[in-house]
C-alpha cells in the first residue's frame, strides 16, 4: 500500500511511550526542522517536543540501545537534524555527525541495529538558527552537527546511528538466567548444561549477572565476552563475585556488594572436553561457583572494566 501523507511505501509501526526506566544509560535529545519521529531499536517513541523546529525532544534511553532512528519532515525553509546522547551522569557520548547515515527513502527495519542497507553518510547543513547557541538547543554539545541528506530538496529524511555490540556467551550447569545492568536477557540455550546462551549487548554495559540453578550432579558457570572485532575482553574468573542469595539489585551497577570472590569448580565435561558448545570459548576462562558445592543456585556478577589482553595455551583437541 501507500502512505499517503509522505508518498512512501507503507510500513508497520510499533509505538510505545517514551522509555522511562531505572535501567537507563541516559538521555537522547533531538532537534528537527520541522516535525520529527524518533525510533529506538525500531520502536517509535512518543515524546513532547517533536512538532516544531524550535522544540527539543528529550527521551530516556533503554539499557543496551542498539540503534537510533530519526525521521524529520521539513515543512519549508531551513531543514536539519541535531541530536546527542548522554550517559546517566550527563556526559555526552554521541552526537550527530557524519558517522550517522541518512536517506530520503524509507527502508524496512531502517531504525534497527540489524539494518544492512547501503545508506550514505550524513551531510552537514548550516541551519541559520541551529548554528547559534540560542533556543531550546542551547547547551547541546558544541560538537554536534546539523545533518541531512546531501540534497536540500529532500523534504523528508531518515537518519540513523547504530552502536557497536559486544557478544556475551554463557554456559551454566544446568539452568541459567542472564542479566545485563539489571535487565534479564532473552535467549535460547539457557535450559541445559550443554547448551550455550549468546547475547548481543551494548559496549557500554556495566554489569553482567548470571543466575545458575543446578538440578543435580556437576555444577558451574562459564562466561566469555568478545568485542566487535571478536577479541576476548572478559571471562569468568576470580574477578567475579558469587553468592547463594539474590540480594535486591544484585545484577545492577548500584548494588553495594559484600559478596565473596568466585570459587573455581571442576565440572567434568567443562573441564576436560573441547568438543561441546563451549569449544571455542577462551582457553583461560574458568568454571566459577560459590564457595560451596552444596549450593544448588549460584548468583555471580561481574562489574565490567576496561578491556584487557587475555592469553593462554590453546586447548589440545587432538
Amino acid at each position: 500500500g501507500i502512505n499517503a501523507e509522505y508518498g512512501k511505501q507503507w510500513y508497520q509501526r510499533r509505538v510505545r511511550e517514551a522509555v522511562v526506566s531505572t535501567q537507563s544509560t541516559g538521555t537522547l535529545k533531538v532537534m528537527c526542522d520541522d516535525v520529527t519521529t524518533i525510533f529506538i531499536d525500531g520502536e517509535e517513541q512518543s515524546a513532547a517536543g517533536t512538532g516544531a523546529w524550535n522544540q527539543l525532544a528529550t527521551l530516556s534511553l533503554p539499557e543496551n540501545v542498539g540503534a537510533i532512528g530519526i525521521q524529520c519532515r521539513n515543512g519549508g525553509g531551513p531543514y536539519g537534524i541535531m541530536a546527542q546522547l548522554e550517559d546517566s551522569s550527563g556526559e555526552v557520548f554521541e552526537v550527530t555527525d557524519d558517522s550517522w547515515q541518512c536517506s530520503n527513502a524509507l527502508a524496512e527495519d531502517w531504525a534497527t541495529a540489524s539494518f544492512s542497507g547501503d545508506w550514505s553518510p550524513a551531510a552537514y547543513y548550516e541551519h541559520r538558527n541551529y548554528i547559534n547557541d540560542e533556543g531550546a538547543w542551547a547547551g547541546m554539545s558544541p560538537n554536534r552537527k546539523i545533518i541531512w541528506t546531501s540534497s536540500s530538496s529532500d523534504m523528508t529524511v531518515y537518519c540513523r546511528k547504530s552502536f557497536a555490540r559486544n557478544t556475551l556467551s554463557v554456559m551454566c550447569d544446568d539452568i541459567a538466567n542472564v542479566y545485563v545492568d539489571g535487565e534479564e536477557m532473552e535467549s535460547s540455550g539457557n535450559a541445559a548444561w550443554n547448551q550455550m546462551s549468546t547475547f548481543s549487548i551494548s559496549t557500554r554495559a556495566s554489569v553482567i549477572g548470571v543466575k545458575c540453578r543446578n538440578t543435580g550432579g556437576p555444577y558451574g558457570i562459564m562466561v566469555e565476552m568478545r568485542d566487535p572485532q571478536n577479541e576476548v575482553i572478559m571471562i569468568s574468573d576470580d574477578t567475579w563475585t558469587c553468592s547463594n542469595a539474590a540480594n535486591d539489585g544484585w545484577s545492577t551497577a548500584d548494588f553495594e556488594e559484600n559478596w565473596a570472590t568466585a570459587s573455581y569448580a571442576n565440572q567434568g565435561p567443562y573441564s576436560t572436553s573441547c568438543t561441546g558448545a563451549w569449544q571455542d570459548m577462551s582457553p583461560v576462562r574458568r568454571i566459577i561457583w560459590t564457595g560451596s558445592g552444596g549450593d544448588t543456585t549460584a548468583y555471580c556478577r561481574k562489574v565490567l572494566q576496561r578491556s584487557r589482553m587475555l592469553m593462554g595455551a590453546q586447548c589440545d583437541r587432538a
Side-chain angles (χ1 to χ4, degrees), residues 64 163-172 175-181 183-191 195-203 205 207-211 221-228 230 233-234 240 281 304:
N64 301 310
F163 300 93
R165 312 285 282 179
N166 289 332
T167 301
L168 178 68
S169 301
V170 178
M171 298 291 306
C172 155
I175 300 173
N177 299 87
V178 179
Y179 303 83
V180 176
D181 292 329
E183 178 182 352
E184 184 169 2
M185 310 298 288
E186 295 183 1
S187 173
S188 59
N190 61 348
Q195 296 179 358
M196 177 180 285
S197 298
T198 303
F199 310 89
S200 176
I201 70 171
S202 170
T203 57
V207 178
I208 305 298
V210 179
K211 172 186 175 183
I221 296 168
M222 293 192 299
V223 184
E224 171 192 272
M225 187 163 69
R226 294 178 181 259
D227 66 16
N230 202 37
I233 57 173
M234 185 272 288
W240 288 61
M281 294 182 76
L304 300 175

Side-chain angles (χ1 to χ4, degrees), residues 291-312:
S292 173
D295 289 334
T296 58
T297 301
Y299 302 85
C300 295
R301 69 189 304 269
K302 169 70 176 180
V303 177
L304 300 175
Q305 305 294 333
R306 290 186 179 273
S307 303
R308 58 192 177 93
M309 183 67 70
L310 299 173
M311 302 178 65

